Amino acid sequence: MTARQLDLTGLKCPLPALKTRKALSGIGPGERLEVRCTDPLAAIDIPNLINEMGDRLEAMQRQGDHIVFLIEKAQAAPL
């Protein structure tokens, strides 16, 4: 499955976390989102956001000046 791309390069805190939250709310359970940031604080803010939302951080890696996150949207809780 391919991941949706979200390029947040050049944005400063808190915009990367806010835009990541909005993008995650717009995708379905099991879908993936790849987020690319340049703000060093995103390395703290985005993993905290993912944990708060109950989603899963599959990978976080640095690529030069960029931090790339691969996030899987959590499955819906059974009723």
Side-chain angles (χ1 to χ4, degrees):
M1 176 185 294
T2 60
R4 293 186 188 201
Q5 307 287 316
L6 183 60
D7 186 359
L8 303 175
T9 56
L11 297 180
K12 298 291 182 190
C13 182
L15 289 176
L18 294 173
K19 289 187 177 283
T20 298
R21 178 187 300 272
K22 183 175 181 179
L24 285 169
S25 69
I27 65 174
E31 289 187 74
R32 290 187 173 94
L33 178 67
E34 182 181 285
V35 180
R36 180 175 295 272
C37 302
T38 50
D39 181 9
L41 291 177
I44 298 167
D45 294 343
I46 290 179
N48 284 338
L49 168 72
I50 294 165
N51 186 47
E52 198 177 282
M53 293 181 70
D55 298 320
R56 187 167 80 90
L57 179 61
E58 290 189 358
M60 180 177 103
Q61 58 182 310
R62 294 192 182 268
Q63 297 177 351
D65 292 341
H66 292 88
I67 306 167
V68 181
F69 302 90
L70 184 60
I71 306 163
E72 181 181 357
K73 179 72 174 173
Q75 297 294 326
L79 297 176

